[in-house]
Amino acid sequence: MIDRNIKELFPILNRTIYGKRLVYFDNGATTQKPKQVIDRIVQSYEQENSNVHRGVHYLSELSTEAHENARKRVAEFIGGEQEEIIFTRGTTESINLVARSYIEGFCKAGDEILFSAMEHHSNMVPWQMAAERCGLTFKAIPVKDDGTLDIDAYKKLLSDKTRLVAVTHTSNVLGTVNPIKEIAAIAHEAGAKILVDAAQAIAHTKVNVKELGVDFLAFSGHKMYAPTGIGVLWGKKELLEAMPPFMGGGEMIDHVTLEHTTYGALPYKFEAGTPNYVGSAALASAIDFMDSIGIENIHAHEEMLLKYATEKLNQIERVHIIGNAPEKSGIISFIVDGAHHYDIGLMLDKMGIAVRTGHHCAEPIMTRFGISGTVRISFAVYNTTEEIDIFIEALKKILNLLR
Ligand code: PLP
């Protein structure tokens, strides 16, 4: 059970929008931040601020310790090793790192990459770009009418040329939770590696890299109650060790001469430049926040909200939910007969309800379903059934106007 006072921990949730108390259903885009995370950022700047790793003085040691403890905290949270945690700006940068370093480092013309048709652009475009640069081909795993991945088609698409399978844990449009363990086992059987985009999973369900049996995992802090500008790439140590660096600069070196550079050890080899040490400390605080509630409790609460909202939306005749997979996360996309998603989003906003509209950076899945966009509601731990009731009443009013 989630404490009904949880909203009090999130300062922004107490504000009003156009005179109405905010109903925030745009958590798939970014979550709000609890006071403890905001306070952690302030503490970093007021009490600790100093560049990490390079200093001998007190403050530098303090912020280095906070940064490295955060790495440890993340490693524990996902079941990886500390040196396997690469801090990045977010999911997008994590995926680009692998597309640059792994694909360019190890693949050759004629090799293949598979990604699914339900990916966010950030788990498609980097592969398309890498394929273009290196002469690889790429193929998309199709999605069935109910929003599940077509696993039979996936098996047929795999070949001895497939080097990497890139798939999302949870679709940011359909809410589909993919059978990652099974997908990973199939990829490995074919001799391919697997990268999982966990951007929409990390704050909503247990994500353990060992249990999932994956090779790379990417996620963003800002979708898990932490600030923007900090994210993670986890990769298997032996792969990361073999991969060439992504960017060159300070921090990532072992030794530099005018002629030649040798690179540092993991994880620093992939962290050129001053890292976001304030962000990493705040990310650790966000993990503390989630752990204090328990990821299983968060999951159960959001599952209840998903069921409740799905039932209510299905009772509205003109509403059609896109994505009805049996395994779904707290994300619902829908279209409405005779009303444009954009108009609905604008009108909901005037009633204090924040939703997202459009293609959600996943144009190919829109094309797959023959639509231009959806209205998307997405839940976090602080949402309630009362908010869903407010949203449903507001939607009904809007649909009466938009006939
Ligand atoms: N992958 C998925 C499934 C997402 O939903 C998002 C963002 O919405 C991303 C990747 C990109 O995340 P970021 O913009 O934080 O890099």
Side-chain angles (χ1 to χ4, degrees):
M1 279 293 279
I2 300 297
D3 185 340
R4 293 190 66 81
N5 294 322
I6 192 165
K7 273 193 173 10
E8 302 307 318
L9 304 178
F10 289 78
I12 203 170
L13 297 178
N14 289 311
R15 67 157 295 170
T16 54
I17 303 285
Y18 303 116
K20 306 262 184 344
R21 185 157 172 183
L22 167 66
V23 172
Y24 187 77
F25 281 172
D26 194 18
N27 296 287
T30 198
T31 56
Q32 298 301 352
K33 318 304 169 198
K35 180 90 167 50
Q36 74 179 67
V37 170
I38 299 168
D39 286 348
R40 187 65 189 86
I41 297 168
V42 173
Q43 182 193 329
S44 290
Y45 282 122
E46 286 189 350
Q47 301 292 331
E48 293 171 359
N49 184 47
S50 177
N51 208 334
V52 290
H53 299 143
R54 279 166 266 189
V56 287
H57 58 82
Y58 186 87
L59 288 183
S60 180
E61 286 198 357
L62 205 58
S63 64
T64 301
E65 196 182 311
H67 186 59
E68 292 308 324
N69 280 343
R71 198 187 303 278
K72 191 162 165 239
R73 198 75 188 84
V74 172
E76 286 163 2
F77 190 62
I78 62 167
E81 305 298 321
Q82 219 169 313
E83 59 204 319
E84 296 174 327
I85 303 298
I86 316 293
F87 284 124
T88 63
R89 282 190 300 128
T91 311
T92 304
E93 186 176 302
S94 300
I95 296 172
N96 274 276
L97 191 163
V98 179
R100 278 276 173 187
S101 178
Y102 183 74
I103 298 299
E104 290 188 8
F106 296 112
C107 301
K108 56 181 190 317
D111 286 347
E112 289 176 1
I113 303 171
L114 289 189
F115 50 74
S116 92
M118 68 169 77
E119 298 310 308
H120 187 280
H121 294 161
S122 58
N123 202 22
M124 267 185 195
V125 182
W127 309 119
Q128 293 175 343
M129 290 165 70
E132 205 168 297
R133 281 194 300 270
C134 306
L136 274 65
T137 51
F138 53 84
K139 292 177 182 162
I141 307 163
V143 173
K144 293 184 185 174
D145 290 345
D146 67 353
T148 53
L149 265 189
D150 189 335
I151 299 293
D152 290 332
Y154 163 52
K155 287 180 186 164
K156 287 188 191 127
L157 285 171
L158 278 164
S159 77
D160 57 4
K161 288 188 192 140
T162 315
R163 290 288 156 266
L164 190 106
V165 177
V167 71
T168 193
H169 182 296
T170 300
S171 160
N172 67 312
V173 175
L174 309 168
T176 307
V177 176
N178 287 315
I180 296 299
K181 227 171 145 171
E182 184 188 353
I183 294 170
I186 296 168
H188 288 150
E189 224 165 275
K193 304 293 180 209
I194 176 165
L195 175 140
V196 169
D197 172 352
Q200 295 295 342
I202 195 76
H204 308 284
T205 191
K206 188 177 166 204
V207 176
N208 182 293
V209 290
K210 299 230 168 70
E211 282 172 20
L212 292 174
V214 298
D215 299 298
F216 298 104
L217 188 94
F219 54 93
S220 303
H222 71 96
K223 292 183 197 286
M224 56 187 293
Y225 309 104
T228 51
I230 184 80
V232 172
L233 171 71
W234 169 86
K236 271 190 187 152
K237 192 175 159 195
E238 62 267 29
L239 290 173
L240 293 176
E241 267 175 348
M243 281 157 58
F246 171 45
M247 291 193 290
E251 294 281 332
M252 50 75 75
I253 55 99
D254 170 38
H255 192 57
V256 182
T257 65
L258 287 178
E259 292 76 29
H260 183 66
T261 296
T262 51
Y263 307 124
L266 286 180
Y268 310 108
K269 183 174 81 174
F270 292 107
E271 294 182 354
T274 297
N276 184 358
Y277 53 85
V278 176
S280 61
L283 175 61
S285 173
I287 293 175
D288 289 344
F289 165 76
M290 285 195 285
D291 273 353
S292 72
I293 298 167
I295 196 76
E296 287 81 9
N297 293 328
I298 295 174
H299 181 74
H301 178 71
E302 292 173 4
E303 202 167 44
M304 180 276 292
L305 295 176
L306 169 72
K307 193 161 173 272
Y308 188 82
T310 304
E311 275 168 17
K312 297 258 167 183
L313 278 168
N314 277 336
Q315 284 163 18
I316 307 176
E317 218 176 288
R318 290 160 62 198
V319 167
H320 305 281
I321 293 177
I322 306 294
N324 291 290
E327 291 297 321
K328 263 188 86 164
S329 183
I331 293 174
I332 307 176
S333 271
F334 62 92
I335 53 170
V336 177
D337 294 336
H340 196 273
H341 49 84
Y342 185 69
D343 295 333
I344 296 170
L346 274 183
M347 291 169 88
L348 283 169
D349 174 53
K350 295 290 176 290
M351 297 165 157
I353 303 167
V355 301
R356 190 143 292 243
T357 65
H359 58 56
H360 315 295
C361 294
E363 278 193 75
I365 200 66
M366 298 295 138
T367 307
R368 158 67 181 85
F369 284 96
I371 53 181
S372 63
T374 71
V375 180
R376 181 185 75 182
I377 56 173
S378 50
F379 304 126
V381 66
Y382 39 68
N383 291 127
T384 62
T385 52
E386 287 80 10
E387 288 178 327
I388 293 171
D389 291 339
I390 293 169
F391 158 73
I392 293 288
E393 282 318 303
L395 182 63
K396 283 181 180 163
K397 272 190 204 147
I398 291 168
L399 296 194
N400 275 334
L401 290 171
L402 294 177
R403 275 195 182 281

